[in-house]
């Protein structure tokens, strides 16, 4: 999956910086820890006497008006002091080999990011993962950071609305009124949340993925077939997080991927995930049959040293499951899944990922790379949803989850795919059961196959639902899914669609802070505060542009009507008048109205002559 | 709500005609009724030895390559012989008054459609509505037509896949394997379905709205503030039904609406709905306080004679409910609701729509205009969802439903609005209970308030869910909702989004024919039959255009890979190879695989050393 970026005519390329329209970047510190600076975005309301609305902000320093960005230096080292204090071995980096960059000729080689970082690795037995710390009862700085980040404006909100409890149906999730660092520790220790945070990614602004936290979204990026510059690749990342992507997966293949990855890692404030089997396959010339443990292991070390925060590992695609896919309508649709299935069948051997899983754990643990256990057998069509192959693999992922935990690793589980609405809930229920509530991370699911070109929508429906039911992170789908490479607009559309799904899920789960923004926007709408309405929306630029299409003048941004109904027909205007009238009514008049209501109720309950029996 | 249409530079305007890419119009006749020609769209598969896929087609003769369209003559009179045989009074049409066209000056007057039609009206006591016929045990031609139309390719499908029952969770809907005319009659007689079909709309291709039929969608159109030509207005209708709108509401206000409506009615193959209070308000100069029963009654007759198939009547907005909205975040957001609330409070009187409901029924019955009982108090924000005002009105709508039935009228019920996911189901459950299973017709609902510019998506999520739960028709929302007037692209996006929601709902309900198209498309996808994949999609033009963006050549339309992964990484290609290999395996080898699977299962079930106890 790659994004196409149009190269500007003058040949220069820089990344998108500056605040989102109507917002400003703020940093806040948890009590007693002035050294921990947690970023938020504040939307300032212009037309009302209301406090700013504080929203979760994964966009990093790029949206900070006061930070200068220099890609060659990389981002500020937020985590460096915390990591340094844990005294890991600083090791010689694995030497870069020609195959790491796809044997690219010297004249086509993209230089690596010059930002210098030490490479660290935990000694055997030394605690390194957030899971290990959590299990040992230790609250890390990452946990403190995450707790403060997740709380948003909850304290302010609760102070202003005492006793107001968000309703919702959480399906067993239990989001507390306030997130404390100790709560984060407990969730990580139970394996119910992860904080993907490679010790070689000091630029990371820590975040949590778990059902008792805000629902997160992931965006996929990757290099183009044409030669990409480093800036182009970093821009894809910056663009995705600007609109709200919480993590980014780099699915690049081909040339220069090692060096380009160094630019991405050094300039990413969000966790970066990869699928190491893609690079391993490149190293053996693209033939799955030639893959082996040595080249895979070497790739894991290579990427872990660079700082990748989570790896998709398709260790659940086992030899005996391959025949289960033979009669599917769409077979195996996961790239990693099909590669491993090909390998298993060609060698007639059990998957080396499955057989060497212990060793994979040891490598990943040493850097705190989290597992994203891949669903290589996910359904690629409505017809194949919830079939034997899919669920056999999920059971194996449950088995592997427990091994990974016993090895001290953090784990999340990937999920489907194409699933009709009535088959969605069983997916998350089974996943929670089989995998001991390890975070679920799904692609959609798409609720029908018949809308290529609109699969952000077919999947947004499924994503909202499965997010509500307990999925912790939703992998976006763009309008180009099944058809081509997403461009900038597609990526933005995909991210915004998934922000909608995640937010709808937070609301339905009863997340205590979720509705604050809806309410602020609705008040702005009712008061005709157009600027506030735009700025509170997920995409202020588009909201404003759409309004401009019909009512372009600045005066219309304070107009007490809109283009849909015009001034005479405006229901909101009429209601505002009504509200004033009701408020001004005498107690007598109010009583009279109440009396009429009671009478009507009585009439209704009596049934009587109006009732028509049904045949 | 209006659509902006860009006027072509040369000043000419015509409507969009011609088949949808890759499809052809076919007509089929129910057994024994060669006089009844039911339209379908057939998607011909080019690359496979598969029968064409027959899909439901509300687009009328406009997509028939063999039909010449002449807007001034109107569409063929499909229903004329059936209606004529029922021997209604042919009456003098009510004379057109200057206020019907908003007192437009003579030089700005749009001429009415010259197509001549008689005006009919049932005599008192004469059976006229589909409900009355159904209750009397009479199967009308409209019912036969609808039954055949709903069956699609079910017979062919069932012949080819005996014993295969669609799974699904219907929440109490009971869609039979085949729809018979008698089944349609029963559903109409129970009030569980309606066939909106004014006897003055002989051009109508009858359709049903009910939870045991395919989920339908409605698109709203309306004139612009600038002068509209008749062709522009008809084009909005044609464009909406081309992409799948099953009914269209004309929400025009202002000048020329009577005459423009005549063009719409004479050229519409789908039921047309209106909100008569809008025109009534125009007639009294735009001041809700000046409305009265006489002007409203006159407007009902005016529009019923023109052939409007359903009226939104906000008779549930009662005086005692108005104060219940005073403390809402967004008050009353329905235009009709706020107009009536204003009237009630200003006069301090009960709504004349409520008090005169019997008389309204008598008028609507005489032409078989169906009720769409408006939800004037629907919530306009997440904060106001499912509140006392909304549910008080819904209870009143239940009361009115029973009155309308007792008067022989067809009824459906309008629903919200803005509702978070966890509060959606109670809406349909309560509606079914209060309103005796009369069809529910909802606007979305929008599942969050924070995404203006993307409200087709926020609402598409809610629409899919409430459709699954039993809503019979979904009113579309365009990307411009809350911001401005939808243009052509917005209307198409809204319609396609709602076709996705309706189809996802049909799949989840277990509709016996729904999955045929998904399966055909998925097979095409797996076989790299790109042309078939485009043509089977809801929007072939967009699917093809997106594919062209990355792989524009014709040769790529038969390529066995796509731009996402390229030829080396193609999971579908690998799976095709795998499938061949598994098929070629010896029975021994197959057994060995099966044995390994059993062993792994055994290991899993034994638990043992790998299991990690959870804290």
């Amino acid at each position: 999956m790659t994004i196409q970026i149009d190269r500007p005519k003058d040949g220069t390329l820089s990344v998108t910086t500056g605040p989102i329209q109507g917002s400003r970047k703020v940093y806040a510190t948890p009590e007693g820890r002035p050294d921990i600076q947690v970023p938020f975005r504040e939307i300032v309301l212009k037309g009302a006497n209301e406090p700013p609305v504080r929203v979760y902000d994964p966009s990093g320093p790029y949206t900070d008006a006061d930070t200068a960005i220099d890609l060659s230096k990389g981002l500020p080292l937020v985590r460096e002091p915390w990591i340094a204090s844990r005294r890991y071995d600083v090791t010689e980096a694995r030497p870069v080999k020609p195959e790491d960059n796809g044997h690219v000729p010297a004249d086509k080689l993209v230089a690596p990011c010059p930002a210098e970082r030490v490479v660290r690795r935990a000694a055997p037995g030394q605690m390194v993962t957030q899971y290990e710390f959590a299990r040992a009862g230790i609250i890390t700085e990452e946990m403190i950071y995450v707790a403060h980040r997740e709380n948003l404006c909850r304290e302010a909100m609760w102070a202003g609305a005492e006793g107001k409890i968000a309703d919702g149906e959480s399906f067993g999730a239990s989001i507390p009124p306030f997130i404390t660092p100790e709560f984060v520790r407990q969730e990580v220790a139970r394996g119910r949340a992860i904080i993907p945070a490679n010790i070689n990614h000091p630029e990371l602004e820590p975040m949590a993925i778990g059902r008792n936290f805000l629902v997160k979204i992931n965006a996929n990026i990757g290099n183009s077939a044409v030669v990409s510059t480093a800036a182009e690749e970093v821009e894809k990342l910056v663009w995705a997080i600007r609109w709200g992507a919480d993590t980014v997966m780099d699915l690049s293949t081909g040339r220069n991927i090692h060096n380009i990855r160094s630019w991405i890692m050094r300039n990413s404030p969000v966790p970066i995930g990869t699928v190491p089997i893609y690079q391993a396959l490149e190293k053996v010339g693209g033939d799955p049959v030639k893959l082996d443990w040595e080249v895979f292991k070497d790739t894991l070390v290579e990427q872990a040293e660079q700082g990748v925060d989570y790896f998709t590992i398709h260790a659940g695609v086992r030899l005996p499951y391959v025949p289960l896919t033979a009669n599917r309508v769409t077979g195996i649709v996961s790239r990693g899944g099909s590669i491993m299935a090909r390998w298993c069948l060609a060698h007639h051997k059990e998957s080396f990922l499955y057989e060497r899983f212990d060793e994979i754990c040891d490598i990943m643990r040493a850097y705190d790379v989290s597992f994203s256990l891949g669903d290589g057998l996910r359904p690629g069509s409505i017809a194949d949803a919830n079939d034997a192959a899919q669920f056999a693999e999920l059971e194996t992922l449950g088995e592997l989850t427990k091994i990974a935990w016993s090895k001290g690793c953090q784990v999340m589980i990937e999920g489907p795919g194409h699933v009709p609405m009535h088959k969605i809930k069983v997916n998350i229920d089974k996943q929670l059961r089989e995998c001991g509530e390890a975070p679920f991370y799904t692609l959609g699911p798409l609720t029908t196959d018949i809308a290529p070109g609109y699969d952000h929508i077919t999947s947004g429906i499924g994503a909202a639902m499965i997010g509500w039911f307990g999925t912790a992170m939703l992998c976006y789908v763009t309008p180009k899914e099944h058809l081509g490479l997403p461009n900038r607009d597609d990526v933005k559309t995909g991210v915004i669609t998934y922000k909608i799904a995640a937010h709808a899920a937070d609301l339905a789960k009863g997340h205590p802070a979720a509705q604050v923004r809806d309410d602020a926007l609705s008040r702005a709408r009712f008061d005709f505060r157009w600027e506030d309405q735009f700025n509170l929306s997920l995409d202020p630029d588009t909201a404003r542009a759409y309004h401009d299409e019909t009512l372009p003048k600045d005066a219309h941004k304070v107009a007490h009507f809109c283009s849909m109904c015009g001034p005479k027909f405006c229901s909101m205007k009429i209601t505002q008048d009504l509200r004033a009238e009701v408020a001004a009514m005498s107690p007598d008049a109010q009583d009279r109205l109440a009396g009429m209501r009671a009478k009507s109720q009585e009439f209704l309950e009596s049934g009587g002559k109006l009732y028509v029996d049904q045949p």
Side-chain angles (χ1 to χ4, degrees), chain A:
Chain A
M1 183 75 63
T2 72
I3 309 171
Q4 291 179 309
I5 291 206
D6 295 331
R7 192 186 291 263
K9 293 227 171 64
D10 64 2
T12 61
L13 258 176
S14 61
V15 298
T16 304
T17 57
I20 285 177
Q21 192 184 112
S23 288
R24 65 182 178 209
K25 187 84 149 193
V26 297
Y27 298 89
T29 57
E31 216 178 296
R33 287 303 296 260
D35 58 316
I36 297 181
Q37 300 273 322
V38 184
F40 295 98
R41 178 155 72 89
E42 272 194 356
I43 303 165
V44 182
L45 305 184
K46 290 175 188 168
N49 187 21
E50 292 187 16
V53 174
R54 182 178 284 189
V55 300
Y56 193 98
D57 183 9
S59 63
Y62 300 101
T63 51
D64 185 342
D66 301 327
T67 303
I69 297 293
D70 179 346
L71 300 188
S72 62
K73 290 188 178 147
L75 294 179
L77 304 184
V78 176
R79 294 174 66 218
E80 180 61 26
W82 319 336
I83 299 168
S85 73
R86 292 168 200 162
R87 299 172 187 280
Y88 300 115
D89 288 347
V90 172
T91 63
E92 193 78 26
R94 167 191 169 285
V96 178
K97 305 172 189 173
E99 61 263 36
D100 297 351
N101 284 305
H103 295 285
V104 61
D107 63 322
K108 298 270 167 66
L109 186 73
V110 170
C113 180
E116 282 181 25
R117 306 282 187 263
V118 297
V119 175
R120 294 187 172 96
R121 180 189 166 100
Q126 187 181 16
M127 271 203 293
V128 57
T129 72
Q130 298 290 324
Y131 181 76
E132 289 172 308
F133 287 119
R135 301 278 291 181
I138 296 165
I139 294 173
T140 62
E141 284 83 357
E142 285 84 353
M143 296 172 198
I144 299 170
Y145 191 105
V146 158
H148 202 62
R149 195 170 198 185
E150 290 277 337
N151 276 324
L152 294 173
C153 46
R154 270 192 253 190
E155 287 190 56
M157 187 197 70
W158 281 69
E162 275 169 74
K164 190 192 163 192
I165 306 285
D167 57 10
E169 164 54 59
S170 71
F171 295 109
S174 43
I175 306 168
F178 293 93
I179 305 281
T180 62
E182 170 59 17
F183 178 78
V184 176
R185 186 199 66 72
Q186 286 171 17
E187 291 292 298
V188 173
R190 284 187 67 147
R192 200 151 64 183
I194 65 171
I195 300 176
N198 186 322
I199 58 171
N200 290 314
H201 190 191
E203 302 87 352
L204 178 79
E205 298 177 349
M207 53 80 73
I209 301 168
R211 67 192 289 216
N212 290 323
F213 299 98
L214 288 158
V215 176
K216 303 303 188 298
I217 67 169
N218 172 72
N220 294 331
I221 63 169
N223 63 338
S224 313
V226 294
V227 176
S228 301
T229 69
E232 273 177 293
E233 294 305 310
V234 177
E235 171 63 4
K236 294 172 187 174
L237 160 77
V238 170
W239 186 246
I241 62 180
R242 179 177 184 84
W243 300 111
D246 294 291
T247 79
V248 166
M249 290 196 77
D250 173 16
L251 304 183
S252 295
T253 54
R255 293 171 165 185
N256 282 314
I257 54 177
H258 179 94
N259 286 1
I260 287 179
R261 193 186 302 121
S262 75
W263 287 92
I264 291 173
M265 291 310 313
R266 300 291 69 83
N267 288 286
S268 176
V270 301
I272 297 293
T274 62
V275 188
I277 199 89
Y278 294 177
Q279 193 181 7
L281 186 64
E282 295 282 352
K283 292 179 182 176
V284 297
D287 182 355
V289 181
K290 293 190 181 141
L291 281 168
D292 64 24
W293 167 240
E294 289 307 321
V295 72
F296 187 75
K297 182 172 102 175
D298 182 54
T299 306
L300 293 184
V301 172
E302 172 192 348
Q303 298 195 8
E305 285 187 356
Q306 286 189 300
V308 173
D309 301 285
Y310 62 90
F311 288 157
T312 295
I313 305 283
H314 294 95
V317 180
R318 298 190 52 202
L319 175 61
Y321 305 158
V322 177
L324 298 178
T325 66
N327 293 322
R328 280 181 159 184
V329 169
T330 44
I332 300 174
V333 296
S334 147
R335 251 196 276 182
S338 63
I339 292 165
M340 289 313 300
R342 186 87 195 79
W343 187 92
C344 291
L345 210 58
H347 294 282
H348 227 88
K349 273 191 192 160
E350 186 53 273
S351 156
F352 63 84
L353 299 179
Y354 181 79
E355 298 213 313
R356 303 281 193 154
F357 194 73
D358 277 22
E359 289 165 79
I360 296 172
C361 290
D362 291 338
I363 295 166
M364 289 173 64
R365 191 200 69 84
Y367 308 90
D368 198 4
V369 179
S370 297
F371 275 98
S372 183
L373 287 174
D375 57 335
L377 304 182
R378 67 171 176 267
S381 56
I382 294 297
D384 295 341
N386 295 13
D387 74 351
Q390 183 194 338
F391 282 161
E393 182 187 31
L394 181 54
E395 287 159 22
T396 298
L397 299 186
E399 172 196 349
L400 298 174
T401 300
K402 284 143 200 167
I403 296 172
W405 282 341
S406 74
K407 291 287 204 168
C409 294
Q410 302 193 86
V411 190
M412 63 180 168
I413 312 292
E414 295 183 10
H418 290 238
V419 185
M421 283 192 286
H422 65 293
K423 293 187 176 176
I424 289 177
K425 190 152 189 300
V426 70
N427 274 278
I428 172 82
D429 290 347
K430 185 174 173 69
Q431 186 274 338
L432 291 172
R433 196 170 59 243
E434 299 286 345
C435 304
E437 292 190 84
F440 204 24
Y441 165 33
T442 60
L443 178 68
L446 288 73
T447 53
T448 160
D449 303 337
I450 66 167
Y454 300 80
D455 279 332
H456 59 305
I457 301 177
T458 66
S459 68
I461 294 167
M465 292 174 69
I466 206 163
W468 176 23
F469 301 152
T471 295
M473 186 157 77
L474 308 169
C475 182
Y476 87 166
V477 170
T478 78
K480 290 278 169 62
E481 183 78 14
H482 299 118
L483 296 170
L485 304 178
N487 60 25
R488 278 171 78 89
D489 287 343
D490 297 321
V491 167
K492 182 174 173 183
T493 300
V495 168
I496 299 285
T497 301
Y498 273 68
K499 287 299 288 180
I500 290 169
H503 185 73
D506 286 332
L507 281 176
K509 286 169 80 176
H511 189 287
Q515 203 180 310
V516 171
R517 189 171 176 181
D518 296 81
D519 291 352
L521 191 146
S522 292
R523 284 192 298 270
R525 184 171 279 159
F526 186 70
D527 293 345
F528 298 102
R529 285 183 276 119
W530 291 101
E531 297 283 352
D532 288 346
Q533 191 184 152
F534 303 151
N535 294 342
L536 283 161
S537 69
L538 286 176
D539 177 3
D541 299 342
T542 295
R544 173 185 289 273
Y546 283 2
H547 191 262
D548 281 351
E549 273 183 38
T550 354
L551 292 175
K553 293 190 190 142
D554 275 353
H556 289 133
K557 301 293 183 282
V558 292
H560 274 214
F561 60 90
C562 67
S563 59
M564 280 82 79
C565 311
K568 266 199 317 198
F569 267 100
C570 178
S571 62
M572 295 239 182
K573 181 77 183 68
I574 295 178
T575 309
Q576 290 183 353
D577 298 345
L578 277 182
R579 186 180 281 188
E581 274 184 60
V582 172
M585 276 169 69
S586 69
D588 255 20
Q590 299 242 16
D591 281 355
R592 190 142 41 99
L593 283 182
M596 288 183 67
R597 166 127 215 256
K599 220 165 156 187
S600 126
Q601 196 61 33
E602 195 183 306
F603 178 78
L604 233 116
E605 278 157 14
S606 72
K609 71 176 167 67
L610 294 174
Y611 187 76
V612 178
D613 280 328
Q614 284 309 295

